[in-house]
Amino acid sequence: MLHPGASTNLERGIGMEVIKTKNELRELLNKERQRGSSLGLVPTMGFLHKGHLSLMEEARRRDDVVVASIFVNPTQFGPGEDYVAYPRDLPRDMWLASSAGVDYLFVPEADEMYQDNSITFVDMEGLTDVLCGASRPGHFRGVMTVVTKLFNIIRPDRAYFGQKDAQQVLIIKKMVKDLDMGIDIVEMPIVREEDGLAMSSRNSYLTESERKSALVISRSLSDARDSINKGENRAGLIKEAMIKEISSERAASIDYIEIVDAQTLKPIERIEGGVLIAAAVKIGRTRLIDNIKLEV
Ligand code: AMP
């Protein structure tokens, strides 16, 4: 069935509808809701990889209707960041999302998402000021605002996020709780390449030699895990070893390495309880993040 403003057949994956406007999506999802279907949402910025697909597949398993969004959100990029260069490939994404079982793919343009010069933002204290929030001022305000908008448009029962962006999912969970949004946030593990590199759309920026250098990030994290498993519990020493290992890679420059409490994101001295070891490292000009979570 074709809806007003619906995508052309060419733009449609098999069994999946590609929707560009908020109104059209709202109407379609109202009908789904009236049928009593549960709705799962997977927000992404596109250029899909197996990490994204793992979220979509989990949504397919748990919800009656799966909505995924692809939106490179301008408000979460700072000046001089890669908003314009961010990789985009909608035809390929449509094929992958459809194969992962997505029913509705929401692909709004920026002026559809932010109409009439919107001036309202969602923000948070504390959790947003550290780690990536310290390196990228305003980033999480942009993320929280766009995720809130997606929640309001789609009104999902569940929304799926990756541990790859550990700070982001923590912030979203807290926002949902603080603002009584009543959405179940599902956190899924990091999907990695065979050699350990965390999958990321930004990996496509890497040259062949940078791709090899980038391995130092996941290697340093798994070395940290090994030494904790062997009984080391001094966060300072583990952090130092990681800094040393990553600095030995010529193409790498550290944005941050932090060992923090997994709930408060406050630095810890002793490894115990829920611990997050998070790294942001530039490989050449590409900023990559990765982390491990441990329960010690
Ligand atoms: P992005 O398109 O980078 O904004 O990511 C969209 C969603 O996919 C976020 O919830 C990410 O945490 C998640 N994600 C990205 N990369 C991975 C990965 N390698 N493993 C699991 N989830 C991921």
Side-chain angles (χ1 to χ4, degrees), residues 42-56 69-72 76 86 139 143 160-166 168-169 172 186-193 197-203 289-290:
V42 181
T44 83
M45 298 206 297
F47 211 70
L48 302 179
H49 51 67
K50 287 182 187 157
H52 298 118
L53 301 184
S54 73
L55 308 185
M56 294 171 184
S69 60
I70 294 182
F71 181 60
V72 184
Q76 71 188 68
Y86 197 83
H139 169 67
V143 169
Y160 299 79
F161 291 85
Q163 189 207 310
K164 163 79 171 21
D165 301 87
Q168 169 173 279
V169 64
I172 300 291
V186 180
E187 179 173 351
M188 296 294 291
I190 302 179
V191 177
R192 299 179 177 279
E193 302 284 356
L197 181 68
M199 290 199 183
S200 164
S201 307
R202 288 191 169 97
N203 291 348
I289 58 171
D290 197 353

Side-chain angles (χ1 to χ4, degrees), residues 25 99 116 140 147 154 170 194 198 203 206 210 213-214 237 246 264 281:
L25 186 63
S99 315
D116 304 327
F140 287 115
V147 169
I154 293 157
L170 189 71
E194 262 177 32
N203 291 348
L206 301 172
E210 287 171 344
S213 305
L237 284 187
I246 295 173
T264 64
V281 176

